[in-house]
Amino acid sequence: ETGVTQTPRHLVMGMTNKKSLKCEQHLGHNAMYWYKQSAKKPLELMFVYNFKEQTENNSVPSRFSPECPNSSHLFLHLHTLQPEDSALYLCASSQAGQRNTGELFFGEGSRLTVL
Amino acid sequence: GNSVTQMEGPVTLSEEAFLTINCTYTATGYPSLFWYVQYPGEGLQLLLKATKADDKGSNKGFEATYRKETTSFHLEKGSVQVSDSAVYFCALSEMNTGNQFYFGTGTSLTVIP
């Protein structure tokens, strides 16, 4: 069982669809992240949750809606996306606070294609 | 602000060649520095890290030294293997500012037999 699991691994959706990406971490961490990876661009931090509270929202369009029901699960709800939103979406977790080792643990990513 | 700049790829090397991937950073405080590696079809995983100036991180034959005077953290390996083919990301984190991570654009490495 990998530390951070993302589903689905691949998703194709139309611009009017509603879908969700799921992330689950089995590492006992208290911080979770969504990153967007596009070709030839730095990883873009989208959202950060510390202790289930959203602490970062880097000017992400409202068509992306995160949800963190508990410290082990993170969702990214998608609706009315645009073709330029096609990318690899990576979930990560870490241990924030005093036990911070400064390391992010990533899932394998969800490859999203918007038609 | 904080940022990371790394050399653009792609980089293609023959097996057993010497590898250097340059990385420089800009930070407001005293960051920790990281190299992450992404193998085909996988997520990123930590390769090595250094938490203070002059520290050397090493793993799997890769090394990088935290150079504060040149704000650099170049990745090196003396003899690359085909299995090292991947995308390498330089990153920094300032733990005192909420564990924010900043990544470079990534450098694709292909090692040919």
Side-chain angles (χ1 to χ4, degrees), chain A residues 18-105:
Chain A
K18 287 186 179 182
K19 298 286 184 182
S20 296
L21 306 181
K22 178 183 176 182
C23 177
E24 183 174 1
Q25 59 98 359
H26 310 277
L27 301 169
H29 290 161
N30 54 22
M32 296 187 76
Y33 310 73
W34 279 117
Y35 281 88
K36 177 182 179 183
Q37 185 178 21
S38 304
K40 299 186 179 180
K41 289 185 179 180
L43 262 69
E44 299 174 47
L45 178 63
M46 299 176 71
F47 302 104
V48 181
Y49 279 82
N50 279 313
F51 300 97
K52 301 188 297 178
E53 298 296 322
Q54 184 174 313
T55 58
E56 196 74 29
N57 177 342
N58 281 353
S59 303
V60 179
S62 60
R63 57 185 184 269
F64 295 92
S65 174
E67 179 189 1
C68 188
N70 56 62
S71 59
S72 299
H73 294 85
L74 184 65
F75 294 89
L76 188 62
H77 303 301
L78 316 168
H79 63 99
T80 60
L81 295 191
Q82 304 299 311
E84 59 265 29
D85 296 323
S86 299
L88 182 67
Y89 289 84
L90 291 166
C91 175
S93 70
S94 72
Q95 185 65 27
Q98 291 184 344
R99 294 178 56 225
N100 189 335
T101 61
E103 180 178 354
L104 285 176
F105 291 79

Side-chain angles (χ1 to χ4, degrees), chain A residues 9 33 37 100-102 104, chain B residues 34 36 38 41 43 49 99-100:
Chain A
R9 293 292 309 278
Y33 310 73
Q37 185 178 21
N100 189 335
T101 61
L104 285 176
Chain B
F34 306 82
Y36 280 81
Q38 185 178 31
K49 69 177 183 181
N99 211 36
Q100 280 271 35

